Amino acid sequence: MESSHPNPLRAPGSVRSRLLEVLSERKLLPEASITTYRDRLEEPLERILIDQALVSPILIQSLLEEIAGIPATPIPLQVSEKFLAAIPSHAIIDYQVLPVENEDEDILTLVADQVHSVNTEDDLRLIIGRSIRWQWCAPDILRKSIRHYYGIGLEAFAGRGLELEGSDTDGPDIQGLVHAIIEEAVSNNATDIHFEPRESGMRLRFRIDGALNHAPLPAGAENYARAIVSSIKAMAQLNVAEHRLPQDGRFDHTLDGETFDLRVSILPYAHGEAANLRLLNRQSSFLNLDQLGFDVDQRANVDSLLSLSHGMILFTGPTGSGKTSSLYASAEQLNDPERKIITLEDPIEYEIPGINQMQVHPEIGFTFAAGLRAMLRHDPDVVLIGEIRDSETASIAVSAALTGHLVFSSLHTNNAVSAIPRLIDMGVEPYLVASSLEGIIAQRLIRCLCPTCRKPAEVDGRLLSEIHMAAPQCPKNPVLYRAAGCPECLFTGYRGRKAIYEILLMDDALRALTVEHSSSEQLQRAAREQGLKTLRESGWDCALEGLTSVNEVLRVTQRPSSREQGRQTLFDFKEK
């Protein structure tokens, strides 16, 4: 048997003993911890110390190379697709290893997050049929990589002895698999889990940062599509025997002390039932204005709007653009004992102490319009309407803004100025819009590049000219980045989101154009003369800071009607 470092591998305990000695000599770990772990040398100490945040992965990596000559694997992992199927599920579960690319055909390089014994190496060599060379990887990255290549919930799916290769056993733990999928979604801040039946089985997807991402299932799990949906229906106390009608339900799931509400929707598709799970964290809190990501000028404009005693302020954008968070942050900013604030929402997403909140119930006639009429009889100073959806609500909201109330609401429009003709199209007279509207804040949520794996990008000259026009102060050849993908970001290239804004303050010129029923193009020109910073320009600022990619800016700020233009401007960027 060939091994690059045979002596350490025959005695992992001696490696761990030496690891503790070095940590003690260099005072990198408290003596109390050294004493505790001296009696636990048969355990994967190198993994435990990292999981308990006692030492950093980088430190363990350097010490293992120094003490045992075990090198770290390059990040992101260059996984060998060729040998993934050569390692059966039980070996992956038992030994937590992954095959990575190497040049020698006779030797397979395996990545592990602990020092393995020669007995383990012998077992794996017999399974794989090749000699083994070892590399080390941080536990978190290895776990994410295993889930990516072998499927989420592999341990649960094979937990009753089921060999995914087809042996005769008791079968998989379907409920355990569903719970593992939910926990994976929670750990990655997903908002929705989609179980979608296909002719060949089932597709699993998570919505993360507003985008749908493929989530791999263990090999063979797609054959249990009906059982998976039945398990979800049982958790939500739905009719398991009914397969023809849509059903809605809910259940709770607790993870690490946090309780999540899961809203379940079942739909009958052509190839079986689909399940969608919406995850709502009971302990989550809304953002305040300081956390919304306004730049200095934008924050000054927002503060100016919030200082008004009356008028209408609108937040615009598509579904999922963060309008509700901005509405809550604005209400909280004004929340003090001297003001009476009443909200009308569908649904109430966060409860805010000190603010009077109402939930609409259209099925019994308590609509936005009916609720708004009623709330104005309760002498509010500030009125928050979750969304203006019809002409009646729009008219009452404008009337409230003109009679001494500060009114906040949201509207679905592509940019800030489009809110003006939208209100007019809903039946509000132009002069009333001009008199009541004080400001419009258009926004989008833009995905942030994963800092671990982002790569430099080359940008087409035409697009570079646009960036220079939007940000004349930027260098002639700015450093811009593209998404790559690694275990840290679930191989999407992105982690987290940031809001970008376009803030329009109504002035005399815009009010005059509104009364004249001017077009969106005329309003936009006047706003630009006022100094309006567009959503696209805010996006370029983020790209120049290295926070997001050029493609993401284009995706988020592209007009839906300009699909053909989008094909001409969305470039495939290359690594420098």
Side-chain angles (χ1 to χ4, degrees):
M1 180 198 70
E2 178 177 345
S3 172
S4 55
H5 308 292
N7 293 330
L9 288 173
R10 293 183 186 280
S14 65
V15 175
R16 291 167 187 149
S17 177
R18 179 59 184 149
L19 180 64
L20 287 176
E21 288 176 14
V22 174
L23 290 170
S24 176
E25 290 166 3
R26 301 179 187 177
K27 301 189 184 304
L28 299 172
L29 196 64
E31 280 302 319
S33 297
I34 299 290
T35 303
T36 299
Y37 288 111
R38 274 206 182 99
D39 296 328
R40 300 174 59 181
L41 298 180
E42 297 306 311
E43 299 178 28
L45 182 61
E46 49 277 39
R47 179 199 296 166
I48 293 169
L49 293 174
I50 294 170
D51 285 346
Q52 295 186 358
L54 294 171
V55 295
S56 70
I58 293 175
L59 176 58
I60 290 293
Q61 169 187 316
S62 63
L63 291 180
L64 284 179
E65 186 153 15
E66 174 187 333
I67 294 167
I70 302 174
T73 193
I75 301 296
L77 275 67
Q78 304 299 313
V79 173
S80 172
E81 303 270 358
K82 176 182 176 181
F83 286 104
L84 284 174
I87 307 179
S89 59
H90 69 83
I92 297 299
I93 294 169
D94 292 343
Y95 303 123
Q96 293 289 292
V97 294
L98 264 182
V100 292
E101 297 286 356
N102 63 279
E103 296 179 0
D104 195 331
E105 286 291 325
D106 298 323
I107 300 175
L108 181 61
T109 299
L110 292 181
V111 174
D113 63 356
Q114 62 172 298
V115 179
H116 281 297
S117 69
V118 71
N119 291 333
T120 296
E121 183 171 310
D122 285 343
D123 291 344
L124 288 168
R125 182 176 57 80
L126 289 172
I127 291 170
I128 300 166
R130 277 176 171 77
S131 295
I132 291 170
R133 180 182 293 122
W134 292 98
Q135 291 181 356
W136 187 84
C137 177
D140 188 49
I141 292 176
L142 182 61
R143 291 180 195 123
K144 288 177 179 177
S145 298
I146 289 174
R147 286 195 291 269
H148 176 74
Y149 289 104
Y150 286 92
I152 298 164
L154 177 64
E155 294 88 348
F157 191 69
R160 293 184 181 175
L162 175 73
E163 285 302 324
L164 302 187
E165 291 71 30
S167 64
D168 249 340
T169 61
D170 295 333
D173 177 6
I174 296 298
Q175 189 169 3
L177 173 64
V178 172
H179 281 296
I181 290 169
I182 292 170
E183 291 180 3
E184 180 72 8
V186 167
S187 69
N188 288 289
N189 298 314
T191 56
D192 293 85
I193 307 172
H194 296 263
F195 296 86
E196 301 166 319
R198 289 291 180 267
E199 185 176 7
S200 58
M202 170 173 281
R203 177 171 68 177
L204 175 66
R205 294 193 289 177
F206 295 160
R207 188 172 295 279
I208 301 172
D209 296 332
L212 279 174
N213 297 276
H214 171 71
L217 286 165
E222 67 277 4
N223 299 323
Y224 293 85
R226 291 189 63 174
I228 289 170
V229 174
S230 293
S231 179
I232 293 168
K233 289 163 73 174
M235 293 177 194
Q237 297 184 329
L238 300 177
N239 185 349
V240 178
E242 177 56 69
H243 303 289
R244 302 162 299 170
L245 296 174
Q247 297 188 64
D248 294 318
R250 59 170 298 277
F251 63 92
D252 295 339
H253 184 86
T254 301
L255 178 63
D256 296 332
E258 291 187 282
T259 300
F260 293 82
D261 284 328
L262 285 97
R263 310 291 170 86
V264 178
S265 176
I266 306 293
L267 287 178
Y269 284 4
H271 296 292
E273 290 179 290
N276 182 77
L277 278 59
R278 168 66 56 89
L279 287 88
L280 300 171
N281 187 353
R282 288 185 189 172
Q283 283 78 39
S284 64
S285 59
F286 58 87
L287 301 175
N288 59 45
L289 283 180
D290 294 331
Q291 298 171 300
L292 290 183
F294 296 115
D295 65 28
V296 174
D297 293 337
Q298 291 170 339
R299 179 58 191 269
N301 288 336
V302 170
D303 288 340
S304 173
L305 290 172
L306 294 181
S307 69
L308 299 173
S309 60
H310 63 275
M312 180 186 289
I313 301 167
L314 293 176
F315 291 86
T316 75
T319 300
S321 60
K323 300 187 299 295
T324 301
S325 294
S326 296
L327 283 170
Y328 275 109
S330 301
E332 176 60 21
Q333 183 77 6
L334 298 174
N335 187 12
D336 62 51
E338 297 179 359
R339 290 189 181 92
K340 181 169 184 176
I341 303 174
I342 304 180
T343 76
L344 191 60
E345 308 171 55
D346 183 22
I348 295 173
E349 295 193 21
Y350 304 101
E351 293 187 10
I352 311 175
I355 290 180
N356 308 288
Q357 298 173 263
M358 293 193 296
Q359 163 84 50
V360 301
H361 294 285
E363 67 277 6
I364 58 172
F366 187 44
T367 61
F368 275 109
L372 184 51
R373 278 200 201 90
M375 76 158 65
L376 293 177
R377 294 193 285 271
H378 276 247
D379 188 31
D381 297 295
V382 179
V383 172
L384 188 153
I385 310 164
E387 184 182 343
I388 294 177
R389 296 179 180 176
D390 53 54
S391 57
E392 189 178 8
T393 305
S395 297
I396 301 170
V398 165
S399 177
L402 291 171
T403 54
H405 304 88
L406 187 58
V407 178
F408 292 89
S409 191
S410 69
L411 202 61
H412 287 272
T413 62
N414 290 328
N415 56 19
V417 298
S418 297
I420 297 172
R422 175 72 177 129
L423 285 173
I424 295 172
D425 290 343
M426 294 176 83
V428 182
E429 291 293 337
Y431 74 92
L432 293 177
V433 175
S435 302
S436 62
L437 194 56
E438 295 293 341
I440 308 163
I441 303 171
Q443 63 185 85
R444 298 287 191 279
L445 292 176
I446 199 163
R447 291 182 296 171
C448 297
L449 284 167
C450 174
T452 302
C453 64
R454 67 179 187 176
K455 300 288 186 183
E458 293 181 357
V459 183
D460 180 273
R462 290 174 297 163
L463 202 56
L464 202 55
S465 297
E466 180 186 330
I467 294 172
H468 279 120
M469 288 180 65
Q473 76 284 358
C474 80
K476 181 179 179 181
N477 294 304
V479 179
L480 298 164
Y481 295 91
R482 64 175 176 86
C486 71
E488 292 290 335
C489 59
L490 294 184
F491 300 87
T492 64
Y494 296 95
R495 286 168 62 191
R497 289 190 289 180
K498 181 187 186 303
I500 56 174
Y501 299 94
E502 177 179 297
I503 301 178
L504 175 66
L505 304 181
M506 294 294 286
D507 61 9
D508 291 341
L510 285 168
R511 293 186 199 280
L513 288 171
T514 301
V515 171
E516 294 168 6
H517 207 154
S518 300
S519 67
S520 293
E521 289 74 16
Q522 292 172 304
L523 291 166
Q524 183 72 9
R525 280 197 296 271
R528 295 291 282 164
E529 290 173 6
Q530 179 203 88
L532 176 73
K533 183 177 185 178
T534 66
L535 286 165
R536 178 73 70 93
E537 289 167 347
S538 295
W540 291 142
D541 287 345
C542 291
L544 289 167
E545 292 176 34
L547 297 176
T548 193
S549 67
V550 175
N551 273 341
E552 181 68 3
V553 174
L554 293 172
R555 182 187 73 84
V556 168
T557 61
Q558 190 70 48
R559 293 180 182 176
S561 60
S562 303
R563 190 173 299 169
E564 198 61 40
Q565 178 186 352
R567 291 197 189 103
Q568 296 169 2
T569 57
L570 284 168
F571 303 101
D572 291 327
F573 300 113
K574 300 174 182 178
E575 185 177 351
K576 286 183 177 177

